[in-house]
Amino acid sequence: MHSQHTEAVAKAAKSSSSKASAAKASSKQAAKKAVKQKTVDYTKPSENKAYPDVNKYPNLWIHVSTEKQRVYIMNGDKVLYTMYCSTGMTNSKTTATPHGTYHVQAERGQTFYNAAEREGANYYTSWAGHGSLLFHSVPIDANGNYIKSEAAKLGKKGGASHGCVRLTIPDAKWIYENIKYNTKVVIN
């Protein structure tokens, strides 16, 4: 009888130990996911380094990853700078950011507001549709205030815009001030 009791206690201890290991592994995965899903500070540049000098890179182009929700400033196949973004909502063809190769267009400006969408943005640069599809800051309301609930979507899966590529304020401003007309933009 004593041996059966000892065996039962050993099994319970082993089961408890493996449950604790599983819980520990699960909490590690949750912690990793939490780190990946951190909230991006929309008032700061995406990286803690200087933006690249576009004049030093004659082959500079922009890669937008809708899957990773990132914008990569590229020189050939080398990433010079990575920005968090929010692309179009993936649950609808009318709001998804279209994939393909585009080029930066002439339309750009400091601010716009779309009354129908009840949103606008700052520092916009057109890449398709001559003002229809843009790089721009996180959205602003009718009073010019940044919409924090929309800003919190930067870098997160699923997208948030109506097709445009939203960026932190400094990232959008840098593109607006530095990216040259006709720069290639590849979206996938």
Side-chain angles (χ1 to χ4, degrees), residues 18-179:
S18 79
K19 283 181 185 174
S21 293
K24 191 174 184 179
S26 177
S27 70
K28 277 185 180 178
Q29 287 174 334
K32 276 185 180 178
K33 193 172 186 177
V35 168
K36 279 187 175 181
Q37 292 296 317
K38 74 173 185 134
T39 301
V40 174
D41 185 343
Y42 70 95
T43 66
K44 294 183 178 175
S46 291
E47 289 198 65
N48 292 326
K49 67 179 188 178
Y51 292 107
D53 178 349
V54 298
N55 296 313
K56 290 182 179 178
Y57 302 101
N59 298 319
L60 186 134
W61 60 285
I62 300 172
H63 172 217
V64 179
S65 171
T66 58
E67 180 186 336
K68 294 182 179 176
Q69 295 296 295
R70 300 289 189 274
V71 170
Y72 303 99
I73 306 302
M74 306 289 297
N75 183 53
D77 61 357
K78 182 178 191 268
V79 177
L80 301 174
Y81 198 93
T82 302
M83 300 174 176
Y84 293 104
C85 72
S86 292
T87 58
M89 292 176 272
T90 55
N91 60 357
S92 166
K93 285 185 180 186
T94 60
T95 59
T97 300
H99 289 192
T101 300
Y102 304 89
H103 291 86
V104 169
Q105 300 175 324
E107 295 81 9
R108 62 178 77 210
Q110 290 193 354
T111 193
F112 74 90
Y113 184 75
N114 181 331
E117 299 291 340
R118 296 196 317 244
E119 283 183 355
N122 292 324
Y123 307 114
Y124 66 89
T125 304
S126 182
W127 52 267
H130 295 284
S132 295
L133 292 169
L134 313 164
F135 290 107
H136 61 67
S137 72
V138 295
I140 57 172
D141 63 20
N143 298 317
N145 301 308
Y146 289 100
I147 304 170
K148 291 179 183 173
S149 61
E150 290 297 314
K153 297 175 183 177
L154 280 173
K156 306 267 185 338
K157 301 253 185 230
S161 76
H162 297 97
C164 289
V165 179
R166 298 174 177 177
L167 301 162
T168 69
I169 301 163
D171 292 352
K173 184 177 183 186
W174 181 81
I175 285 180
Y176 161 75
E177 291 177 341
N178 293 280
I179 295 298

